[in-house]
Amino acid sequence: MRNQHAVQHPKRYINSLITFYLLLPFAYLGYVMFSMSQTNNNYYDFLYSDPLNSILLLSVMICLIWAYILWKLKEQNQYTALPSYLMCMAISQLFIGNIIGVVFTFITRVKTKSLQPGANSQKRELQCKLLTILNIVLTLIVVTAFIRLSF
């Protein structure tokens, strides 16, 4: 009974991280709705009013894709691949400026070391790898846009 609880505890950290990355798009949507109500604009006018708004939309999409990747890995019991995905996620969140996401990701990485490895299936993990590559490309686009806006 005690060993089962030890395995359940780290899964709670993964679920918390997934929930955090799923809540970020809703927080962004709340910000957009509040800003649109203050300026009486539609979404396209809001998006084109400042280049930072488009970059924030891409950043939120990156978080949403990371949440999906984590959920797929958890669903497929691919816990052996989890540390490498968490490191990519932490670096991605660091680049887009989500320091809270970096901290939560590192805490999850430390707390999930005790998880037992699942069955390794290359075919199932392909989707996660492709989405990770997409997220890395999106992160590079966001970082490039941040740099261009800064100078």
Side-chain angles (χ1 to χ4, degrees), residues 4-47:
Q4 183 183 8
H5 178 63
V7 173
Q8 293 291 338
H9 186 66
K11 288 183 182 179
R12 219 176 328 151
Y13 285 100
I14 295 171
N15 290 336
S16 299
L17 191 62
I18 291 170
T19 304
F20 172 73
Y21 283 123
L22 285 177
L23 287 178
L24 286 176
F26 290 110
Y28 172 75
L29 184 62
Y31 164 72
V32 168
M33 297 302 271
F34 178 75
S35 296
M36 286 179 4
S37 69
Q38 294 293 321
T39 59
N40 292 327
N41 287 335
N42 60 14
Y43 184 69
Y44 295 111
D45 292 337
F46 173 77
L47 207 61

Side-chain angles (χ1 to χ4, degrees), residues 25-91:
F26 290 110
Y28 172 75
L29 184 62
Y31 164 72
V32 168
M33 297 302 271
F34 178 75
S35 296
M36 286 179 4
S37 69
Q38 294 293 321
T39 59
N40 292 327
N41 287 335
N42 60 14
Y43 184 69
Y44 295 111
D45 292 337
F46 173 77
L47 207 61
Y48 291 123
S49 67
D50 188 11
L52 209 60
N53 294 334
S54 304
I55 294 172
L56 283 174
L57 176 65
L58 283 176
S59 298
V60 167
M61 287 175 39
I62 290 170
C63 293
L64 190 63
I65 294 171
W66 279 127
Y68 179 74
I69 290 171
L70 277 178
W71 175 72
K72 280 304 257 187
L73 287 173
K74 187 183 78 136
E75 181 183 76
Q76 297 171 359
N77 292 327
Q78 296 289 331
Y79 297 119
T80 56
L82 191 64
S84 61
Y85 282 101
L86 287 174
M87 286 306 296
C88 289
M89 184 183 304
I91 292 169

